[in-house]
Structures are given as C-alpha cells and as structure tokens.
Amino acid sequence: MNEKTGSMPPSQEHHSERTPLIQRVTVDHGRAVEYPHQRFRRFCTIALITIPLLTLLIIFFSIVVSGQSDLFGDHQTEARPISDISASGELLVPHQSWPASEGISYSHLKHILQDTPSPESARKWSEYYTAGPHLAGKNKSQAEWTRGKWESWGVKSSLATYDVYLNYPVDHRLALLKDGKVTFEATLEEDVLEEDPTTGMNDRVPTFHGYSASGNVTAQYVYCNYGTFADFEELRKSGIALEGKIALIKYGGIFRGLKLKRASELGMIGGIIYSDPGDDGEITEENGYKSYPDGPARNPSSVQRGSAQYLSVAPGDPTTPGYPSLPGAPREGVEGKIPDIPSVPISYAEALPLLKALNGHGPNATAFSSAWQTGGLAYKDVHYNVGPTPASITVNLVNEQEYVTTPLWNVIGIINGTIPDEVIVIGNHRDAWIAGGAGDPNSGSAALNEVIRSFGIALEAGWKPLRTIVFASWDGEEYGLIGSTEWVEEYIPWLSAATVAYINVDVGARGPNFQTAAAPLLNKLIYEVTSEVQSPNQTVANQTVRDLWSGHISTMGSGSDFTAFQDFAGIPSIDVGFGAGKNDPVYHYHSNYDSFYWMQKYGDPGFEYHVTIAKIIALMAAKLVEQPVISFNATDYALGLGLYLESVKKLANDSDFATAKGTFTSLGAAVASFQATASTFDAKAFDLMAALDKPSATAPATRYAEVRSINTKYKFLERQFVYAPGLDSRTWFKHVVFAPGLWTGYAGATYPGIVEAIEDKNMTAVEKWVDIIEATVDGAISLLEG
C-alpha cells in the first residue's frame, strides 16, 4: 500500500457519489502504554478510569446548565432545553402526565407500533432498496430518498457526511497454470439467471474484497481450510511450506480479513477465498436439493464479496482510527490495518479445478483435526489434500483496486423527547456489496422504515416521547462499520453523556429463527418484548416469538454497527434479526443472489418476518423511551461477569501457561460483591417502578428525583467498563468485558485483555488486566451504591 500525504484541495469540496476524490494522507504511529510494576499499574488504572468518569460528569453538568440537548451541530436538528430543571435549579417532572406517557397512553402507543407495520409496505421498501447497486460512497440518491421518506413521516432528518478511504474494483484475474500454460481461467463472475433480474444488471458490482491489496502474483498454492490461527498452526506443525505460496481458503469460522492477515504474517503472497457447500447444512445438491433458482441449495457460481479489513484491530476508516473522517482531518498510514497481499473471492464452482489439482499432493485433511473434516465437495472428486502443489502447478492471481478518499452519507433522524439527555439510538446500514442485498442489509432497512413510519403515526396521534430517539441509516458498514464508527467518534462526548442504549438491525429477515446478541443489561428487555410479539409461524394459536425462540442471547462481538457503541463508547447495545437454520434455504451472503427475487421466493415470501422484526424493534424502543424507570437489569450483568470469569479460569487451567495461584481471587471477590450490589439496586428500581403505579402523598418532583437518580446510574453503568487506553494490541477497543476475538473478528470475547495475555503467556499482562477489570468492577459498585 502506497503511503499518502497532504489534504483535499478546496476545489473538490463539493462532490457526490459520482466524483470520488483521491486524498493523500500522512503516516503517524503511536506507542502503547506500559505498566512495569503492579502497584504503579493499579494507581494508573484507577486514575485512567476515574478521569474519564469525571469528564462525563462535567459534560453532563454542562448539558444541564446550558440546556444543550445534543451535540449534533450542523448534522442535526436544533437544541431543545432540558425541561426538568427549573429556573432556580430545582428538579421538576418532565410533563404534567408523568409518570404516565404524554399525549397518548403507553398502551395506545404499543397498539400503534404493533398494528402499523405491514407486509405490503415492507415489500415496497425492499423492492426500492434492492433495485440497483448501492456500494458505500455510491448511494447518495438512496440516502436522499431515505431522508425524504423519514421527513414525510414526521421525523426531522439530515445527512451526516464523512470523507473516507475506500477501494473500488478495477480488474482481476485467476488462472490455473501447468508448466506456465493456462489450464483453467476463472470468470470471477456469477451466473446471470433469467428468473432473477438483479443478476443481469449491466451495472452489477464485480466480485472483489473491500480493502484488498492490489497485486499480480504467480505461485504454488496451499489449501488452508478456514484460515484460522489454529488451522495455520496445524499446517506449520506438519511442516507445510507456506512462505511464498498463495493460500486457498474456505469462508467461515472467522472474519475474512483475519484469514489474510495470518497468511501474510506467515509469508504467503496472496489469498483465494471460496464458499464450500459443506457449510450449508442439510440443504445441498449432494443431498438431492436443486440449486437456486430451481431449489433452495446454493447456486454453484455464488460468490461472497466482503471486506478484508482487520476488523478486530479497529473498525472504521483505517486512516482515522479513533477520530472522525471529517474534511481536512489528519490521516494515518494503513499498515497493519488492511491486507498487504492481494486476494479474490470465488465460487465453489470455480474453486473445483484448483482443489482437484491438489489431489494427491501433500497430506490429506483427514490427517488434521476435526475442524478440517467439513468439506462438502468430495462427491465432486475433491480429496482435500493440502499441498502445496508441485512447482509445475501454479496460479496467477491479479487484483487491481483503485483507492480513493470519497464521501459517504449517513441519514440521521431525530424525535426530541421531553428528557433530551436520555437518548435511544436505532440503526441499520444501507450500503451493500451488490445490487440487491435483500437480506443484508435491506431487510433491516425495510423494517427500520416501518419502525419510523409507526412512530410517525404515534406522533400524529399526539404522542410526545419521554426520551429522545435517534434513527440512523448508516453508510459504509460493509467496508468496516465506517459510517457508524465515524459518527460515534465525532459525537462521543454527547453520546457518552446522554445515550441509554443502541438497537441495531442488520439482516432483519432471511429465515424464521429469531437471533440476538446483547449487553446483559438488556437481556430482560429482550425476553419481555419477544413475549409480546406474535410469531408468523403459528403451530399453536397465539404463539409469540419468545415461545419459539431458544432464549439464547449471544455475547457482543463485532461485524455490525453496534461495535462502536458497545466497544468504543460503552453504550449497551442489542442486535436483532431473523436468521436461517440448517434445514432452511441457503442464504447467498454478499452474493448477487441475495436479491429481491430470492427473498420473495425463499427468504421471507410473505414479508411477515420483516414486519415481526419491525414490531420487536419498535416495542423495545418504546419500552426504553417511555417507561419511567429504564428497562435495565444490573443483576444479569453481574451474573454475566461471574460466568465470564469462570471461562477465563478454565482457559488458564486448560492452557499450557499456568497463572499464579490466587491470580483471580480478588477479582472474584469484587464480582461477587457487585452481584450483591446489583441485586439490591434492581430491587430498589423494581419497587420504585411499582410505587409509581400507586397513589402517593409524595410530591411528584421528589419521586421524579428518585427516578432520575436510578436512571442516571443505569445509564452510566456500562460506561464503568470502558478503559480509556484500550486493549494492549488494539487500543481502539476500550471495553474491558467485551470485544471481538482477536483472531475471530465476528465472535465476541469476554475479558479480552486477560484472554489475550493468557494466550501470549504473559503473566505481567494477566496481572495488569486483572487489576484493571477489578477497578472497573469496583467503580460499578461505587456507582450503584452512591
């Protein structure tokens, strides 16, 4: 990757998706903070946690005194004064109806949110969003259309623009060579299907990887299974020569960029990544199912595009880590953040000649661990030998990308609440790798539109929200969560002071199985709301989504727009959607076949799951916005911390690196104390909520002061686990409890600082992170008890 310098010339300030701009950027590398002594570590830890908390309190006080309701600036609507502070500084109730809802009853609001979303409307929005290409930085017209719709439903909206570093495909090639002569030339395209109009668009997006490196390399190649860290370790231990070779890798297991990261670290010079039907569950051609469009199995020419950014190191614009990509912002180098070797994605149909050419060369996958025994192409005469290929058999991989600095556009809408310093943010991304994207992301986009339309009808009926709601249609998620990350980085002071929770929907519907990940504070909310929404799959009358859902809530990782909120800002987040099971039609992720035609035939034919996820999101938001006491549960968080600690202890015991005796004793005691404190605090909040439903001689302002005290502590509880210097190897990630796994990218890791220290066999780092986490737990206890 070439080093860039300079800034954008004034003549290029006015631009659109048709005028990408090349901008030169500077290189600047920071140094990690080191703590050589335990006592000094603890002192620094307490200081570094206390200072940000004091900063938050100062910001909060400033907001109260000044009446500033947000920090949107030109991106957003006008400020609105805080209405619960009188001229003399006394606390007043938000409105005369409090604790009841204002304008219409809470029960009436919920009826509107349940009754408004319709399959017909969701289908209409899906059809619009999937009608043409909408790559990041190439979809301003779609952003403006979205803003117009939201405005028409009564939600004041605007575009938030950032200048970001992106790549667009220019050319590519993949050829199999025998003694230097071509024996197979890949098309690197997906089949055009007569039944599916999206697949034949003249301006359809080529197959490529976001943030992939340009290059032209020819070499022998090695089959590397999923390309996980463990897979590469098995290859190394088996004596397989990797340096100077090209990696042939299956999609799955970990984020694609991390496959290339490890390959590069081991001296490999290129990557080819394909989707293997062995990961498609029961629905495969081998099992007798016809492929799309004639049946539910994967189309053999399906190609998964996607970002190759090192997502677990830092999301967002790789040239502006930790600060927003506004015009004129200083830029850093991209080394260590995106791949330095070229790569291409291919279909399993075009991977077959490469896999067959490996037959008989090198060890067979059966000689490796069970993780290698998942290939689904044996019936196509693939033996899954790892190679490398003999010197006479090579591949020529060509990848040419244009790197530019270009604008992208978030759509931001706002409904001001009576209490503007308690904010709920709801978001979905709008950009896609393909013309369609009916599942990812536009099932979520269609659902978000129905949520906003529903709240608009409530506003028309006279509803005035208690808390502020911000809606976001993010751009640039596919490249690396860019639009949401830059926005959070820009508004971090206001978000830290005001935001209660973030609700994310990415793939809203691609099957019948409800799936969610969440911060533990929000577990109770999810169970309550899914028990109120009827399932489209009624095997028994009046079954709810909760009735048919296992109840499993995943740990927060990464891979979608909640990442900056949860892991950088410490804002408790939820991610929701309906996914597919092993017996459901194969979802063509990031492929041209994630189309409107596929959705209405296989994914969600009646658009009922689009409607259902819209209802779930709207009711979660309503509960967070309207209930006087915020719908959090600190006990679930405290219990989670205990479970996470047990998993860390098990990791330490199972590894060949023994931690010192008593390493986790004081942390365990702190967690136990937090559990007792959280239980007492939740009981107090529950009793207060119950008391609000009963007549009382207590003055309303006094009761409201009690509620504000509880809510402020709930609001700042997640922030207690934010550590300003960040994780050792990836300082952008600030949360000490949650982060994506360093070598997974998608899947969440708990207590990542300790886990990575154990994996690195670094006892000093283990002790450091135990001290840091214990200090954050102590801070959480002090917050709830104060």
Side-chain angles (χ1 to χ4, degrees):
M1 203 65 57
N2 292 332
E3 192 172 291
K4 308 290 184 181
T5 59
S7 60
M8 183 174 64
S11 61
Q12 293 180 326
E13 289 179 354
H14 302 287
H15 39 247
S16 74
E17 72 268 38
R18 300 295 181 185
T19 57
L21 306 173
I22 296 176
Q23 180 171 350
R24 297 188 176 277
V25 299
T26 57
V27 178
D28 182 25
H29 297 288
R31 293 184 61 186
V33 179
E34 296 180 357
Y35 295 79
H37 302 294
Q38 185 168 344
R39 182 174 296 177
F40 183 61
R41 285 204 310 271
R42 182 178 289 275
F43 171 80
C44 292
T45 296
I46 293 170
L48 288 166
I49 291 170
T50 303
I51 290 169
L53 291 178
L54 289 174
T55 302
L56 288 178
L57 291 175
I58 292 168
I59 292 169
F60 177 72
F61 178 76
S62 300
I63 290 173
V64 171
V65 171
S66 67
Q68 180 75 21
S69 69
D70 62 46
L71 298 179
F72 282 131
D74 293 338
H75 284 179
Q76 275 305 319
T77 185
E78 69 280 356
R80 182 173 162 177
I82 286 184
S83 56
D84 58 0
I85 305 293
S86 71
S88 62
E90 297 177 325
L91 197 64
L92 303 176
V93 295
H95 54 78
Q96 290 184 342
S97 304
W98 187 91
S101 295
E102 186 179 13
I104 63 175
S105 69
Y106 180 46
S107 122
H108 187 189
L109 171 65
K110 292 203 296 182
H111 280 301
I112 291 173
L113 300 179
Q114 287 263 37
D115 295 344
T116 299
S118 74
E120 295 76 20
S121 292
R123 186 184 189 279
K124 181 165 61 175
W125 312 140
S126 175
E127 195 165 19
Y128 167 77
Y129 282 117
T130 60
H134 39 287
L135 268 176
K138 299 285 186 181
N139 60 30
K140 189 178 184 183
S141 60
Q142 210 178 69
E144 290 174 334
W145 181 91
T146 300
R147 177 180 60 180
K149 282 296 178 188
W150 294 6
E151 292 265 1
S152 73
W153 295 326
V155 176
K156 187 175 178 67
S157 304
S158 61
L159 299 187
T161 305
Y162 299 95
D163 289 346
V164 301
Y165 187 66
L166 299 178
N167 67 303
Y168 296 115
V170 176
D171 198 6
H172 54 195
R173 184 199 192 204
L174 184 67
L176 180 63
L177 310 175
K178 171 71 171 176
D179 296 323
K181 295 182 179 179
V182 175
T183 60
F184 169 72
E185 183 89 37
T187 67
L188 301 179
E189 290 194 9
E190 294 168 292
D191 293 343
V192 173
L193 308 177
E194 183 178 349
E195 300 90 337
D196 189 340
T198 305
T199 66
M201 289 183 177
N202 290 331
D203 56 353
R204 62 187 182 274
V205 181
T207 58
F208 79 109
H209 283 146
Y211 289 125
S212 57
S214 294
N216 183 337
V217 293
T218 301
Q220 299 162 258
Y221 59 95
V222 177
Y223 171 67
C224 302
N225 199 33
Y226 293 107
T228 66
F229 192 94
D231 288 338
F232 279 116
E233 286 304 286
E234 289 195 59
L235 289 171
R236 293 176 69 194
K237 289 176 182 177
S238 297
I240 305 300
L242 300 175
E243 188 171 359
K245 308 297 190 298
I246 293 171
L248 176 59
I249 312 171
K250 290 190 298 187
Y251 273 115
I254 64 172
F255 189 72
R256 67 188 69 78
L258 300 180
K259 301 171 189 279
L260 300 172
K261 182 177 189 293
R262 188 56 179 155
S264 174
E265 289 176 353
L266 297 175
M268 304 189 83
I269 62 172
I272 305 162
I273 312 181
Y274 79 100
S275 299
D276 193 297
D279 294 315
D280 288 342
E282 297 296 321
I283 310 302
T284 63
E285 284 187 327
E286 184 180 15
N287 288 337
Y289 293 92
K290 292 185 177 180
S291 64
Y292 180 74
D294 300 318
R298 179 182 300 276
N299 184 292
S301 72
S302 172
V303 178
Q304 180 190 140
R305 299 155 182 80
S307 175
Q309 184 187 49
Y310 298 164
L311 192 63
S312 62
V313 174
D317 185 333
T319 67
T320 61
Y323 57 96
S325 294
L326 297 170
R331 305 274 171 170
E332 296 186 7
V334 296
E335 293 78 14
K337 302 168 190 173
I338 62 176
D340 56 3
I341 60 173
S343 66
V344 293
I346 65 172
S347 66
Y348 83 74
E350 298 204 317
L352 281 171
L354 279 66
L355 290 164
K356 289 180 181 179
L358 282 165
N359 287 351
H361 300 292
N364 191 270
T366 55
F368 295 89
S369 68
S370 60
W372 289 70
Q373 315 307 314
T374 59
L377 293 170
Y379 78 109
K380 295 282 191 180
D381 194 32
V382 172
H383 299 171
Y384 291 102
N385 287 88
V386 304
T389 55
S392 60
I393 299 176
T394 58
V395 289
N396 174 227
L397 188 164
V398 178
N399 184 53
E400 185 180 349
Q401 301 292 320
E402 177 190 21
Y403 272 87
V404 298
T405 298
T406 188
L408 56 70
W409 305 272
N410 297 331
V411 185
I412 306 294
I414 187 169
I415 302 176
N416 277 313
T418 310
I419 310 175
D421 69 321
E422 293 179 359
V423 177
I424 312 300
V425 184
I426 307 171
N428 158 264
H429 76 92
R430 187 184 63 255
D431 64 301
W433 291 114
I434 43 171
D440 181 10
N442 296 132
S443 58
S445 303
L448 182 60
N449 277 2
E450 285 299 272
V451 170
I452 296 171
R453 190 169 69 86
S454 299
F455 277 118
I457 289 174
L459 290 171
E460 286 182 357
W463 172 60
K464 296 180 181 178
L466 180 64
R467 300 182 178 95
T468 294
I469 311 177
V470 173
F471 301 101
S473 174
W474 308 116
D475 197 0
E477 187 271 358
E478 293 292 8
Y479 276 83
L481 324 179
I482 297 178
S484 58
T485 298
E486 301 311 311
W487 189 79
V488 169
E489 289 173 346
E490 181 175 8
Y491 295 112
I492 186 67
W494 173 75
L495 289 167
S496 296
T499 308
V500 172
Y502 174 67
I503 301 171
N504 188 69
V505 58
D506 193 323
V507 181
R510 61 180 179 90
N513 301 321
F514 180 70
Q515 299 170 343
T516 184
L521 279 172
L522 295 159
N523 288 357
K524 181 182 174 184
L525 173 70
I526 298 171
Y527 292 132
E528 289 176 349
V529 169
T530 53
S531 297
E532 296 180 40
V533 178
Q534 296 273 299
S535 170
N537 182 15
Q538 294 283 326
T539 56
V540 176
N542 297 317
Q543 280 183 313
T544 65
V545 172
R546 178 69 185 94
D547 292 331
L548 297 174
W549 167 45
S550 70
H552 174 70
I553 300 174
S554 297
T555 301
M556 299 304 289
S558 187
S560 197
D561 289 305
F562 58 79
T563 304
F565 289 88
Q566 182 73 49
D567 297 336
F568 184 79
I571 294 167
S573 301
I574 306 175
D575 183 64
V576 292
F578 282 94
K582 69 175 185 177
N583 295 318
D584 294 316
V586 171
Y587 175 58
H588 295 78
Y589 179 57
H590 289 180
S591 158
N592 275 345
Y593 306 132
D594 180 12
S595 63
F596 182 79
Y597 181 84
W598 179 88
M599 181 61 72
Q600 67 178 355
K601 184 171 182 179
Y602 292 110
D604 186 16
F607 287 83
E608 294 288 349
Y609 286 96
H610 285 66
V611 169
T612 304
I613 200 64
K615 292 178 180 179
I616 289 171
I617 294 165
L619 289 181
M620 284 196 299
K623 191 175 283 283
L624 288 168
V625 167
E626 286 299 293
Q627 286 202 341
V629 178
I630 293 171
S631 301
F632 281 1
N633 188 275
T635 305
D636 284 342
Y637 206 119
L639 292 173
L641 294 185
L643 293 174
Y644 308 151
L645 183 56
E646 290 305 311
S647 70
V648 166
K649 290 179 182 178
K650 185 177 186 303
L651 175 66
N653 290 334
D654 292 347
S655 71
D656 57 0
F657 169 67
T659 55
K661 185 178 180 180
T663 297
F664 303 109
T665 301
S666 61
L667 176 56
V671 169
S673 179
F674 180 44
Q675 290 171 351
T677 300
S679 178
T680 300
F681 185 82
D682 284 337
K684 180 181 177 181
F686 178 84
D687 290 343
L688 180 57
M689 185 69 182
L692 294 175
D693 293 331
K694 301 173 184 177
S696 174
T698 305
T702 301
R703 292 200 295 168
Y704 180 56
E706 294 176 358
V707 169
R708 278 286 275 183
S709 175
I710 292 284
N711 287 345
T712 298
K713 292 175 181 180
Y714 270 144
K715 181 173 70 172
F716 288 126
L717 182 56
E718 190 83 51
R719 248 81 96 207
Q720 304 307 303
F721 300 99
V722 170
Y723 175 62
L727 299 179
D728 289 336
S729 62
R730 39 192 179 136
T731 57
W732 185 91
F733 289 95
K734 311 295 185 184
H735 207 292
V736 304
V737 179
F738 303 115
L742 180 61
W743 285 104
T744 63
Y746 286 128
T750 53
Y751 296 140
I754 299 177
V755 169
E756 290 167 29
I758 291 172
E759 291 173 345
D760 291 341
K761 299 178 174 56
N762 185 336
M763 191 62 205
T764 300
V766 170
E767 292 175 348
K768 166 190 168 181
W769 281 103
V770 167
D771 287 349
I772 290 170
I773 295 168
E774 184 180 343
T776 65
V777 174
D778 290 342
I781 294 170
S782 297
L783 173 73
L784 296 186
E785 289 181 343

